[in-house]
Amino acid sequence: MAHTGESSALRLGLLVFLSLAVLTGVEFGLALFLNVWQLLLLVAVLKAGLVLYYYMHVYKLFKADDSPDHDSYAYKLATNRMGLWLFFISDSFIFGGLMLARINLLGLTRPELNQLLGLGVTSVLLLSSFFMNRAETAMAHDDRKQFLFSTAVTLTLGLLFLVGVVGVEWQIAPFGPGDGVQGAVFYSMTGFHAFHVLTGVIFLVIILRNGLRGRYSSEKHWGVEACTVYWHFVDVVWIFFYPALYLIGTML
Amino acid sequence: MEKKFLWVALGILAVVIIAVGIAGYVNRQNVAFDGSVISPAIEAPGITLTGSTGETVRLSDYRGKVVLVFFGYTSCPDECPATLAILRQVRADLGAEAAEVQVLLVTTDPAQDTPEQLANYLSAFDPAFIGLTGSGSDLEAVYRDYGVTVMEGGETHSTRVYVIDRDGKLGLTLPYGMTPDEILHDLRLLLGSG
């Protein structure tokens, strides 16, 4: 490899992915053998922490550019980041509200869902996060080929997630959106989330197209960064929604 | 960066392992039953009566199973059929584990409840339920041991189900009004599958 910085950054991404995969396995095992919601929450928080720090680079927010030149790319980048994160905070209120509704309405019970499918779509989304991180890392090191490949894989996995949730889980669920509380909770939570994934997929199509046209460079690729961070944000939401819908409590 | 991350990952692993250990320990210490807990559990008073099968039935015959003892009579209008219907539901929900749970109905009206009458009545709920009757003095002894008061005609105000664990210990009673799900939860804990 020509770019030693890149391969080391890619390896770090892989390590983070492996840790997330192990934690997801632990989470699933905990739900099976020791269904204590506090533990599942702890694992979810740890997973979210890993994603926030290593995949979403939340610390970059605090590296605000204090140069007086407000027309500089660095200054704009800093304000763009701030804007994106403000959007995440406001978006979190929607997901937080849905989560609170779920906790109030279902408590320590959960909808009757296919466990294998739940673990499957979660793995697909996790794997997509890994490739999203590869895409961004590659672009940061001007590795266009790797960027295009990883973005395409992320896109495919995102579509696969949508097929798994909307195309399969919604069809085989033994209840409809109008069937009482569990229907309302399940379809609104997965529906809101799936819509965000769809938005991310559209975003991925855009950066793939721009990437093919050579519009990004290692210095200037805010579009790629925004898409990446957005994609991981949607993944963080699922880190909490997955145990809330599939793992905690006893099945209805 | 990678070296630092490995330490982070090890730290996370340590946190999870410690938390799981604590949770597992705490879980074992105070198992949360929905029914009323008798702590410490007492040795279940022995029962030797005539079963609806026609044979002599001893409580100790069911050592290794979870036994639910209920007091009632076949012409009982309210609590008895309601409780038996709930216990049937619980056994149905237990699936294969139902074989590990034995329901015993001790009659409070031996004049009416012959073994045949009990068998007939219980088969309408669950053929695996066993009714128990016996001589007046044998029954009196069981009522006394379990603290059950029986009035004329078999009427009783004792509507609890006595739960005896696999080791023959009485550590839990189910008050009237518990839902099948709550009872199921308690039984699964006792069966070790909760």
Side-chain angles (χ1 to χ4, degrees):
Chain A
M1 269 254 196
H3 320 277
T4 48
E6 183 187 359
S7 63
S8 132
L10 287 178
R11 262 207 312 280
L12 179 63
L14 179 65
L15 285 175
V16 174
F17 166 73
L18 291 175
S19 306
L20 290 168
V22 168
L23 284 173
T24 306
V26 166
E27 193 176 29
F28 193 72
L30 279 179
L32 277 182
F33 299 110
L34 193 72
N35 203 332
V36 178
W37 67 267
Q38 290 91 337
L39 278 181
L40 294 173
L41 178 66
L42 173 77
V43 174
V45 167
L46 290 173
K47 281 171 74 178
L50 284 177
V51 174
L52 282 167
Y53 190 85
Y54 289 100
Y55 280 174
M56 292 174 82
H57 318 298
V58 62
Y59 51 85
K60 284 186 183 172
L61 262 187
F62 306 102
K63 283 199 269 181
D65 182 64
D66 45 11
S67 77
D69 179 10
H70 288 191
D71 290 326
S72 71
Y73 186 79
Y75 182 84
K76 285 178 181 168
L77 192 59
T79 48
N80 280 345
R81 278 181 185 142
M82 195 55 83
L84 185 64
W85 279 87
L86 283 173
F87 160 69
F88 291 154
I89 290 169
S90 52
D91 214 19
S92 300
F93 282 94
I94 291 180
F95 290 117
L98 286 168
M99 187 63 113
L100 277 181
R102 181 251 173 272
I103 292 166
N104 263 308
L105 293 171
L106 295 180
L108 283 179
T109 60
R110 57 182 152 86
E112 198 182 337
L113 297 168
N114 186 328
Q115 282 298 323
L116 219 56
L117 188 57
L119 189 62
V121 295
T122 303
S123 309
V124 165
L125 200 61
L126 181 57
L127 206 56
S128 83
S129 258
F130 167 64
F131 280 101
M132 188 75 261
N133 172 258
R134 282 181 85 80
E136 188 197 19
T137 306
M139 186 40 76
H141 293 86
D142 268 328
D143 184 352
R144 197 159 148 261
K145 217 174 125 195
Q146 172 71 271
F147 163 75
L148 292 174
F149 171 76
S150 294
T151 306
V153 174
T154 310
L155 182 62
T156 312
L157 290 169
L159 287 171
L160 197 61
F161 177 85
L162 285 177
V163 169
V165 172
V166 180
V168 184
E169 186 72 287
W170 280 19
Q171 310 308 320
I172 65 170
F175 51 86
D179 295 341
V181 176
Q182 66 166 338
V185 165
F186 173 72
Y187 286 95
S188 55
M189 282 175 80
T190 53
F192 264 99
H193 183 264
F195 223 115
H196 279 77
V197 174
L198 180 64
T199 313
V201 165
I202 295 169
F203 209 161
L204 281 163
V205 170
I206 293 169
I207 66 161
L208 191 61
R209 171 180 162 275
N210 287 347
L212 280 168
R213 294 180 181 179
R215 298 217 177 136
Y216 300 122
S217 67
S218 57
E219 287 85 27
K220 296 190 176 185
H221 58 274
W222 164 243
V224 174
E225 184 185 328
C227 179
T228 302
V229 179
Y230 176 79
W231 191 260
H232 292 312
F233 170 72
V234 177
D235 188 28
V236 167
V237 172
W238 191 252
I239 283 175
F240 291 100
F241 274 22
Y242 170 60
L245 288 171
Y246 286 86
L247 301 180
I248 65 170
T250 46
M251 204 185 269
L252 280 172
Chain B
M1 197 66 174
E2 280 169 47
K3 212 168 183 178
K4 196 179 124 205
F5 179 76
L6 285 174
W7 284 112
V8 170
L10 275 177
I12 288 173
L13 202 63
V15 167
V16 170
I17 289 172
I18 292 168
V20 170
I22 293 172
Y25 181 75
V26 170
N27 238 21
R28 206 159 293 233
Q29 292 293 301
N30 45 6
V31 180
F33 285 104
D34 287 328
S36 316
V37 173
I38 300 172
S39 182
I42 57 166
E43 196 71 39
I47 300 175
T48 305
L49 293 166
T50 308
S52 47
T53 50
E55 291 157 1
T56 301
V57 170
R58 288 179 190 80
L59 181 59
S60 53
D61 294 346
Y62 302 106
R63 192 59 60 87
K65 289 189 184 187
V66 172
V67 185
L68 305 179
V69 181
F70 183 61
F71 294 83
Y73 55 113
T74 59
S75 49
C76 160
D78 29 47
E79 281 94 346
C80 323
T83 302
L84 290 171
I86 284 176
L87 293 181
R88 169 186 55 188
Q89 175 69 44
V90 168
R91 270 179 51 89
D93 290 346
L94 273 171
E97 282 178 307
E100 304 284 297
V101 175
Q102 179 63 53
V103 174
L104 300 178
L105 171 71
V106 179
T107 183
T108 52
D109 184 11
Q112 290 275 336
D113 296 346
T114 59
E116 297 75 39
Q117 167 70 12
L118 281 166
N120 234 343
Y121 177 74
L122 290 174
S123 65
F125 292 98
D126 185 332
F129 289 179
I130 291 177
L132 299 176
T133 185
S135 69
S137 58
D138 286 352
L139 282 169
E140 290 292 339
V142 175
Y143 301 157
R144 196 181 54 241
D145 289 346
Y146 282 85
V148 175
T149 47
V150 176
M151 286 164 285
E152 198 131 337
E155 204 177 317
T156 169
H157 289 294
S158 303
T159 53
R160 280 176 187 268
V161 175
Y162 297 81
V163 183
I164 295 150
D165 69 15
R166 292 181 194 269
D167 302 322
K169 290 264 196 286
L170 172 60
L172 181 72
T173 62
L174 310 175
Y176 181 70
M178 277 177 76
T179 65
D181 279 347
E182 288 167 341
I183 296 175
L184 199 62
H185 167 253
D186 284 7
L187 289 184
R188 288 215 166 112
L189 286 176
L190 278 180
L191 290 166
S193 58

